[in-house]
Amino acid sequence: MPSSIDTIDTPALIVDVDRLEGNIARWAAFAREAGVKLRPHGKTHKCVEIARRQVSAGAVGLTLAKIGEAEVMARAGVRDIFLAYEVIGGPKLPRLISLAREIRLRVGVDSADGAGALARAAQGAGITLDVLIEVDTGLGRCGVRPGEALAALAQDVARLAGLRIAGIFTYRGYRSDLEAAGREEGEVMVREADRLRRAGIEIEEVSVGSTPTGRSAGRVGGVTEIRPGTYVFNDAMQVRWGSATPEECALVVLARVISRPSRDVAVLDAGSKALTAEHGPYSSRGESHGVIRGYPDCQIDRLWEEHGRVQLTTEARRLRVGDLVEIIPSHVCPTVNLAERLVCVRQGRVVETWAVAARAQVQ
Ligand SMILES: Cc1ncc(COP(=O)(O)O)c(C=O)c1O
């Protein structure tokens, strides 16, 4: 195994393990102080070694989206998983049932049709499946709206043999003014949980949050669980939103300069197959596909599959063919999904390599 970063082949994902462990510890401490359960979303890392560190630090288990991800994590010893996702489609159900027999598994629902199919599968297998109803608190993705729609679906699900309503969950995601957005997300969910309880439906879990809103939503009394994912690594997007600092970014894409076609342009060996095509307003020059450490104003302005073009600042003109750069990716979760392994470093020395064991598990 190469021992220093400059001997690593590129492009590669490099994880600073001290920073990673710092992020894991900080959020675990927050959850303990706030008195909420921490159930990190494993889609960010898809990596068994990181899941184990999260659970050792106090996480109750994992949140995941796909059955394939849950199968990988269950095999690795994670015994408590919430699929915060609508599991729809006949071919998925036998896998869901066998997982539910093996570990503590809970699943998201947001429709009577979806819940009905789960109920029939559970009943047929002679088990009771725990479900959480998804509430749309403003993202406009899955979930039923608070109020009448939620109450009606909860009554429908409560009548289904084979299912037990374990609670409600939401994913609000980013909104400007994170403090107020998270508080509102938590308050809406606690209010809805109380309304359902008054209607005779038992609601144990009120599950909220994300890296941007998890801290403020988690402080709302009555919220029982938060599900941040990106916090383990953070990325350019979280730094831009103010939910992480550059020093809390624990993963970079290591790339090499492969061409210097002109004074102000460098071309890297990391394109959309290493960085994803995601971009955002991370450079003072405009949209960029990430932030180059040490040269934050350079703009990665265009990606091809194998090439990333950088518009250089004056001080970055010193970059030469063969030089290494570290890129904080725009959005770390899909970036990790592209890689087979994470190269782990401590104080600049390579210490381990971890497989991205649950990558590409889209089913
Ligand atoms: C349902 C759900 N919960 C939690 C998360 C974690 O959010 P974040 O990665 O912003 O921390 C996500 C992310 O997409 C999600 O979809």
Side-chain angles (χ1 to χ4, degrees):
M1 189 183 295
S3 57
S4 73
I5 283 186
D6 52 8
T7 58
I8 296 171
D9 201 1
T10 52
L13 298 194
I14 310 294
V15 174
D16 182 320
V17 184
D18 292 330
R19 287 185 183 203
L20 170 88
E21 289 175 349
N23 293 340
I24 290 173
R26 246 188 316 282
W27 275 79
F30 167 77
R32 263 193 306 278
E33 279 154 29
V36 291
K37 287 179 272 182
L38 175 64
R39 185 182 291 280
H41 206 311
K43 81 196 185 82
T44 302
H45 53 75
K46 303 169 185 72
C47 173
V48 164
E49 286 80 357
I50 297 178
R52 289 193 186 123
R53 277 171 166 73
Q54 290 174 314
V55 172
S56 305
V60 293
L62 285 184
T63 303
L64 292 162
K66 299 302 178 109
I67 298 176
E69 296 171 334
E71 288 167 339
V72 171
M73 292 300 173
R75 272 199 299 277
V78 179
R79 308 310 301 165
D80 185 341
I81 292 175
F82 170 37
L83 287 177
Y85 195 78
E86 284 65 24
V87 175
I88 304 292
K92 297 186 193 306
L93 298 177
R95 291 166 66 205
L96 188 75
I97 296 297
S98 57
L99 252 184
R101 285 201 164 109
E102 218 184 293
I103 60 166
R104 179 173 192 246
L105 182 72
R106 299 183 305 167
V107 189
V109 292
D110 81 344
S111 69
D113 287 342
L118 291 182
R120 283 190 294 282
Q123 244 193 321
I127 64 167
T128 300
L129 194 58
D130 279 359
V131 294
L132 274 77
I133 300 179
E134 181 161 8
V135 183
D136 178 9
T137 48
L139 179 64
R141 194 173 68 178
C142 286
V144 285
R145 295 291 298 160
E148 282 306 301
L150 173 60
L153 179 62
Q155 294 295 354
D156 285 346
V157 177
R159 278 192 286 271
L160 293 171
L163 299 189
R164 185 184 79 93
I165 299 178
I168 54 176
F169 81 103
T170 192
Y171 174 68
R172 180 64 187 86
Y174 172 73
R175 239 183 54 192
S176 58
D177 192 353
L178 294 180
E179 187 63 36
R183 210 178 320 118
E184 186 187 304
E185 175 184 336
E187 285 170 358
V188 168
M189 292 296 281
V190 169
R191 187 191 70 212
E192 292 303 312
D194 285 341
R195 203 199 300 260
L196 292 175
R197 289 180 189 121
R198 284 197 300 277
I201 292 171
E202 222 178 291
I203 298 293
E204 285 162 29
E205 205 75 273
V206 180
S207 176
V208 303
S210 56
T211 303
T213 64
R215 278 177 279 222
S216 44
R219 280 193 211 99
V220 175
V223 163
T224 63
E225 175 177 279
I226 55 171
R227 307 185 317 276
T230 306
Y231 79 99
V232 279
F233 296 138
N234 294 306
D235 55 23
M237 198 184 327
Q238 299 296 336
V239 172
R240 172 81 189 181
W241 291 345
S243 39
T245 63
E247 293 69 37
E248 290 167 348
C249 289
L251 180 147
V252 290
V253 178
L254 187 71
R256 272 196 171 81
V257 177
I258 56 164
S259 177
R260 286 284 276 108
S262 65
R263 190 189 63 164
D264 294 317
V265 173
V267 178
L268 307 176
D269 61 359
S272 61
K273 281 160 73 178
L275 282 169
T276 81
E278 293 201 32
H279 53 86
Y282 311 131
S283 150
S284 54
R285 297 158 171 235
E287 293 279 309
S288 183
H289 293 272
V291 175
I292 301 183
R293 277 234 178 100
Y295 303 108
D297 287 320
C298 285
Q299 180 192 19
I300 307 174
D301 73 326
R302 179 137 188 223
L303 298 183
W304 292 262
E305 278 178 77
E306 316 292 357
H307 303 79
R309 185 175 69 190
V310 188
Q311 301 296 338
L312 299 171
T313 53
T314 309
E315 54 160 359
R317 285 184 196 145
R318 68 167 82 107
L319 284 172
R320 302 171 66 91
V321 167
D323 282 353
L324 289 171
V325 293
E326 297 182 352
I327 305 160
I328 300 172
S330 178
H331 185 187
V332 73
C333 313
T335 307
V336 170
N337 194 47
L338 296 174
E340 286 185 339
R341 66 191 72 87
L342 305 174
V343 180
C344 303
V345 301
R346 282 193 199 267
Q347 278 132 37
R349 307 293 294 176
V350 177
V351 289
E352 247 177 303
T353 301
W354 295 336
V356 186
R359 80 182 276 254
Q361 292 291 343
V362 293
Q363 295 178 338

